[in-house]
Each structure stands twice: as C-alpha cells, then as structure tokens.
Amino acid sequence: MNDTKPKVFSGIQPSGSKTLGNYSGGFRQYAQTQETHEAFFCIVDLHSISVDYDPGELRRATLDLAAMFFATGLDAERATVFCQSHVTAHAEAAWLLSSVTSYGQLSRMTQFKDKSEGRDVVSAALFTYPVLMAGDILLYQTDLVPIGDDQRQHLELSRDIAERFNHRFGETFRVPEGKFPEIGGRIMDLQEPQNKMSTTLSSEQGAVYIVDSPDAIMKKFKSAVTDSEREVRYDPQEKPGVSNLLEIMSVATGEPIEALERRFENAGYGDFKVAVGESVVALLNPIRERYEALRGDERELQRLLAVGAEKARRASAPTLEMMYERMGFARSDAGPFFGAARPKGL
Ligand code: AMP
Ligand code: TRP
C-alpha cells in the first residue's frame, strides 16, 4: 500500500434501493477519488440496525450494495471495499469514542431528531449512530470524506470528536475534511421538490432508483412537479422543481447548468422533462446492466468483500491499538490479541 497518497473514506447504508440522489452525492464521487487517493468504501451494516429492520433483508441489501459499489466503477484491487461488521475495530472504536462525545451534542443532531420523530421506540443505537460514524472515519486516518449535504453535521461532529480525543489523550487522529459535490449534493424528490430524494421517505414516484427500468425513469420525469411559470431557469428558492431537474441533468451529462438554461430557453416544460429523463436513462442504463451481472454471482461478491475486509483490518489495526494505548488500557505485546496489531514505535 502506498502511504503517501491522501486517504479517502466513505460509508453507505445497506438499506432500501439506492437512488439517483445516492448516486449523485455518493457513488459518483467515490469512483472519482480512487484514482488519486488511497480509498476505503464501507457498507455500514452496523448503522442499519439503528432503526427497525428485517434480518433477511439486511443480508440481501448488503450484497446489493456490494454489487452497486462495483457497478458504479469501484475496483476491488485499487480501492478497499468492505463491510463494516467484518472489521471488529469499528464497533470497538465507537465504544472508546463515546467517552469523548457529549450527550448534548448528540441530542442536537438533526438526523436523529428527524428519524426519531413519531416512532414508538427510539433505539439507543439511533442516538449514538454518529459516534460509530466518527470511528469509521478516524480509524483510517482519513483526509477526505466524500458525502452528500445531509451528512455535514455528522462530519462536523466527527471532527470535534477527533480534536477532543487528541487534546485529551495526545495527538492520535488526523482531523478529516468533508468533500461535498458542487452540484448534485442534494437531489430533491421529483414530486415534493422541497424535500430531499430519500430511500426511506420518498414516494415511489418521487424517487428515481439506480436500478429503475428506462420506462419507469421516463415516467417519473414526465410527471415531475414543476411550476406554472413555464421558464427553465435555475432558482432553487423560487423554482425548486425546475432547479432540481436542471441539477440532475447537469450531473447526468456533465454540462454546466447555465448551458442547459440556454438550451431550454424557448422549450416547454414537457420537452425539457423528456430531455432530463433521457439523460438519466443514458447515465443509469449501463450501471444497471453491470449491477445485474455482478449481483447474480453472490459467491464472487462474498469473495471480494473478504479481500476488502482483510485490507481494512490491516489498515485500521494500528490506529485502534494506539487508541487503547493512549487511553491507558493495559495492553501487552505478549497477548494473543494485540501482538500483531501493535504499531512499531509505540
Ligand atoms: P445513505 O443511503 O443515507 O447511507 O446515503 C449515502 C450517501 O448518499 C451519503 O453520502 C448521502 O449524503 C448521499 N445522499 C443521500 N441522499 C441524497 C440526495 N437526495 N442527494 C444527494 N446525496 C444524497
Ligand atoms: N451516516 C452515513 C449516512 O447515513 C453513512 C456513513 C456511516 C458514513 N459511516 C460513514 C458516511 C463514514 C461517511 C463516512 O449516509
């Protein structure tokens, strides 16, 4: 492994079908960074049990997501693609870091407030979820975390946790930076453009799934909500529906939004929506085809995840060991558990 390359880490939950929003804020950025960085991409299955879930579904969704990582361009050789629960360091780090995380700060997380609203039972895992996420990132001495806008607050918390730990126990973690896409960091629901497109909260018509058929995609775009003004102009405040469509087309084609505004200056909304739909079909069709081929071979997916887990274990062990040492746990070179993990010079 090349230690001089900056490190990138991101995680995504194996739950529900992944959307065009996940592609734009997540997968699209991941594939770009594996060229220039030492890249870690994690299927965060431990995060998925923080809300009510079905065990059979978790297993299926984990393999779905592994196939999606590879279908969107990640390469098991160049990047480390792995499953969070396969690397026990993540659960350990979460517990250790929870000692430097304040209850007050966790209660201010907007995602916690949104997700706990209206539920009969709110799990402790939902509350401490951002600590697990901080551990994911910090274990790899991550420089850069590509994420969508909705994870900004969690990343800030991870930075605070790193700084607090470094201050309390001595310099241990690199403090990570977020990387947010300039456009497409927050793709909105096609039916309710004031809300983000979401795996769990959007309606079937409001969310475009990466594996949707071309027909389904065209239908969703043709019925997308716009406004009565009949002018293709980018203005997220006044024109959320149209602005979202412009942003989506810009992500799909790589063309700047201004160029698209000019192209559709004199077009009706009907033609504009068809063009946006077609650009998304062109983007997602090859991904869906690759996905289906990969998803058909579960043994191969399991093998690739095992390769990733081994690399991730080796990469995270020195930092975990350093955490235990700095926090005052009586570690020993002779013990069966830490001998191999103990970093040189500690
Ligand atoms: P999740 O499926 O919630 O684990 O999200 C995985 C990644 O997709 C995270 O980096 C999110 O920020 C990103 N993401 C989720 N929804 C959207 C959206 N509507 N627009 C842009 N990025 C998103
Ligand atoms: N909390 C993130 C989400 O719901 C997923 C996640 C878990 C993550 N661990 C991470 C993202 C580490 C980036 C880095 O989208």
Side-chain angles (χ1 to χ4, degrees):
M1 243 183 272
N2 185 348
D3 258 348
T4 58
K5 275 190 185 175
K7 297 201 177 81
V8 63
F9 185 103
S10 199
I12 183 161
Q13 293 200 49
S15 47
S17 289
K18 294 301 163 189
T19 66
L20 178 61
N22 292 129
Y23 176 77
S24 179
F27 299 112
R28 180 171 62 117
Q29 303 201 78
Y30 307 158
Q32 286 166 3
T33 51
Q34 71 180 342
E35 312 296 336
T36 44
H37 292 68
E38 187 180 338
F40 296 89
F41 297 105
C42 184
I43 300 171
V44 293
D45 51 355
L46 296 172
H47 278 91
S48 293
I49 65 169
S50 57
V51 291
D52 204 15
Y53 79 102
D54 170 3
E57 180 71 10
L58 178 61
R59 187 185 173 280
R60 192 189 57 72
T62 298
L63 295 175
D64 288 352
L65 187 50
M68 190 57 79
F69 269 136
F70 298 123
T72 52
L74 287 180
D75 172 354
E77 294 293 321
R78 275 179 299 169
T80 299
V81 176
F82 71 106
C83 191
Q84 191 182 31
S85 68
H86 297 181
V87 182
T88 53
H90 291 253
E92 292 178 72
W95 179 252
L96 299 182
L97 293 176
S98 69
S99 74
V100 290
T101 310
S102 85
Y103 176 88
Q105 203 171 11
L106 283 178
S107 7
R108 285 193 293 279
M109 294 293 118
T110 54
Q111 185 172 302
F112 172 70
K113 290 193 237 174
D114 292 348
K115 285 197 176 176
S116 56
E117 212 172 68
R119 280 184 197 270
D120 290 341
V121 179
V122 176
S123 72
L126 190 62
F127 187 67
T128 55
Y129 162 125
V131 189
L132 181 61
M133 174 162 165
D136 297 341
I137 297 169
L138 301 180
L139 274 173
Y140 297 87
Q141 303 292 348
T142 301
D143 296 281
L144 210 59
V145 185
I147 33 177
D149 260 356
D150 60 344
Q151 297 300 316
R152 234 175 237 280
Q153 201 187 20
H154 289 161
L155 184 76
E156 260 327 296
L157 179 68
S158 302
R159 290 166 52 89
D160 285 353
I161 291 175
E163 279 166 358
R164 213 169 301 141
F165 190 103
N166 286 346
H167 184 70
R168 170 87 175 79
F169 299 112
E171 206 60 27
T172 305
F173 299 121
R174 199 164 295 170
V175 181
E177 303 284 336
K179 180 172 184 280
F180 305 91
E182 275 167 34
I183 59 147
R186 190 171 171 83
I187 298 294
M188 310 309 276
D189 185 302
L190 297 187
Q191 292 299 316
E192 298 171 18
Q194 64 285 4
N195 299 331
K196 85 165 185 175
M197 185 181 286
S198 151
T199 321
T200 43
L201 304 174
S202 286
S203 67
E204 185 62 31
Q205 282 303 104
V208 175
Y209 298 101
I210 300 178
V211 295
D212 269 348
S213 70
D215 274 359
I217 293 175
M218 290 309 295
K219 231 177 167 162
K220 289 178 184 182
F221 279 100
K222 282 181 190 163
S223 65
V225 166
T226 46
D227 52 54
S228 55
E229 200 191 40
R230 298 189 179 284
E231 189 190 1
V232 177
R233 179 164 55 83
Y234 188 75
D235 180 348
Q237 291 304 319
E238 296 294 318
K239 298 169 74 66
V242 169
S243 303
N244 188 39
L245 292 175
L246 278 167
E247 207 156 318
I248 289 173
M249 188 160 180
S250 174
V251 167
T253 62
E255 290 172 83
I257 288 181
E258 306 78 65
L260 297 173
E261 281 177 319
R262 277 198 300 279
R263 171 145 19 118
F264 292 99
E265 213 166 23
N266 299 313
Y269 279 165
D271 291 345
F272 171 56
K273 290 198 277 189
V274 167
V276 180
E278 283 170 350
S279 74
V280 172
V281 169
L283 170 75
L284 296 184
N285 217 22
I287 298 177
R288 194 195 67 245
E289 285 170 5
R290 278 196 299 275
Y291 171 83
E292 281 165 2
L294 288 156
R295 187 63 183 87
D297 190 348
E298 291 201 353
R299 281 187 55 171
E300 176 61 5
L301 288 174
Q302 297 274 23
R303 188 188 71 80
L304 292 173
L305 288 179
V307 170
E310 189 46 40
K311 287 201 273 181
R313 267 182 224 117
R314 263 185 279 126
S316 57
T319 298
L320 182 68
E321 192 50 32
M322 200 149 67
M323 291 167 73
Y324 278 120
E325 296 263 358
R326 301 259 155 94
M327 291 181 83
F329 290 90
R331 310 295 275 186
S332 153
D333 271 338
F337 308 120
F338 2 96
R342 192 182 173 92
K344 286 200 179 68
L346 274 182

